[in-house]
Amino acid sequence: DFLDEIDRQALGLKVDALKFYTGLPERDGEFPWTMDDEALVYPFYERCRQHDIRTICVHKGLPLPGSDIQYTHPRDMKKASLDNPDLNFVVYHSGFKAANYELPPGDGFIGENGYLAWTTDLVRDREENPGMSNVYMELGTTFGHTAITHPRICGHLLGQVIRAFGADHVIFGTDSIWWGSPQWQIEAFRRFQIPQNLQDEFGYEPITDEQKEMMLGLNAAPLFNIDVDAVHSRFPDDGLSKLKAQYRDEGGQPSNSQYGWVYEPGLRA
């Protein structure tokens, strides 16, 4: 059963975390369930503790084809997190609904007062329950799905999750298996800023470079038992790294100088 499976993964694969899909359709022995089901899931949490696995990830929002949509809603995260304060819960996709990965054109997805289906529900739960400090919001697909084509949705989402959960509880993700090379998302995230008119109207704070560095990896590192300093020490002190550091120290702005071939008469190409 599933308790035997966690034993296998913990002892054989040495996993640091697990990921759940609560909205699975009923077929071949699979069925939907909720994260706060005391009879079904809480024994699983206890077995995780026995193996010192403290990070539980879960797919919420972005209902998969054939999934039971009510089990994909993140409403069950409140009780699960409050009942298990020693575990960390990573809510993938920040609970963002966007059924079938589709969004209406323009701002049609944004409701009154910046409401975003399901994400804002979880944001409100967090604002009303300070004890949910063990919940992290992950941005995979949600950021890639909105940053370019729906920047106002992206601004609302980042503004809300940072304000409610804190920049130290937001984790960047790309879902690059669906979106291809993640570099464009990384670059977009480094450049993205909550639109000024949304900051003015809704009180969102601008996202700082330090916060982006946290979200791009520093927040996730301790959840997955990664020693950042130890990892950095493995990289050689090469010339490119020194140039990058110098570039940052000088303000990180391009010089706008142009460089190319120098033509001298008489020289053969």
Side-chain angles (χ1 to χ4, degrees):
D1 63 12
F2 66 93
L3 293 179
D4 293 331
E5 179 61 18
I6 179 58
D7 290 340
R8 183 189 73 84
Q9 294 195 29
L11 298 174
L13 303 178
K14 309 297 183 182
V15 298
D16 293 317
L18 296 157
K19 185 181 179 184
F20 296 159
Y21 290 83
T22 58
L24 292 173
E26 292 196 40
R27 63 186 180 195
D28 300 327
E30 297 178 342
F31 53 88
W33 45 276
T34 63
M35 296 288 286
D36 57 1
D37 187 324
E38 295 186 22
L40 178 66
V41 187
Y42 281 35
F44 189 95
Y45 296 153
E46 184 56 37
R47 187 64 62 90
C48 288
R49 292 185 180 93
Q50 293 174 16
H51 292 295
D52 199 28
I53 296 174
R54 302 288 169 161
T55 298
I56 308 296
C57 307
V58 57
H59 178 107
K60 287 294 181 179
L62 299 183
L64 301 172
S67 63
D68 192 324
I69 194 168
Q70 66 174 319
Y71 290 94
T72 312
H73 193 290
R75 63 172 64 88
D76 52 343
M77 297 310 305
K78 178 173 71 172
K79 176 175 168 55
S81 62
L82 292 175
D83 287 351
N84 299 275
D86 59 325
L87 300 179
N88 298 307
F89 293 92
V90 181
V91 181
Y92 269 54
H93 321 297
S94 296
F96 188 68
K97 186 179 180 182
N100 298 321
Y101 295 78
E102 295 180 358
L103 289 172
D107 296 335
F109 188 82
I110 304 172
E112 186 177 0
N113 296 319
Y115 177 81
L116 302 177
W118 296 8
T119 297
T120 301
D121 297 328
L122 187 53
V123 162
R124 291 171 179 170
D125 282 343
R126 175 65 179 89
E127 290 172 339
E128 296 169 359
N129 295 274
M132 291 177 65
S133 58
N134 55 338
V135 177
Y136 293 75
M137 298 289 264
E138 190 266 352
L139 301 175
T141 285
T142 301
F143 178 79
H145 197 36
T146 60
I148 304 301
T149 58
H150 294 78
R152 285 177 58 83
I153 293 178
C154 191
H156 275 295
L157 187 136
L158 289 175
Q160 290 179 27
V161 299
I162 292 173
R163 183 167 61 192
F165 292 85
D168 60 343
H169 278 59
V170 179
I171 297 176
F172 184 72
T174 63
D175 264 355
S176 57
I177 189 173
W178 307 116
W179 297 88
S181 171
Q183 191 60 40
W184 71 269
Q185 291 193 57
I186 296 171
E187 295 298 333
F189 188 75
R190 289 191 181 281
R191 289 167 170 75
F192 187 85
Q193 187 55 262
I194 299 173
Q196 187 62 51
N197 62 336
L198 295 188
Q199 294 184 37
D200 296 339
E201 182 176 355
F202 296 93
Y204 303 141
E205 295 289 336
I207 308 173
T208 67
D209 290 342
E210 291 74 17
Q211 290 174 331
K212 290 179 180 179
E213 289 184 2
M214 293 163 59
M215 291 183 275
L216 280 169
L218 296 179
N219 293 339
L223 296 179
F224 296 95
N225 300 316
I226 297 173
D227 185 330
V228 175
D229 292 334
V231 172
H232 280 172
S233 67
R234 300 174 191 167
F235 295 122
D237 189 19
D238 61 291
L240 184 59
S241 297
K242 292 178 179 178
L243 287 173
K244 183 177 179 180
Q246 181 182 354
Y247 175 73
R248 286 188 171 181
D249 291 342
E250 293 175 352
Q253 298 298 320
S255 67
N256 293 324
S257 297
Q258 295 184 0
Y259 302 92
W261 296 103
V262 177
Y263 171 75
E264 292 187 26
L267 293 180
R268 301 179 65 179

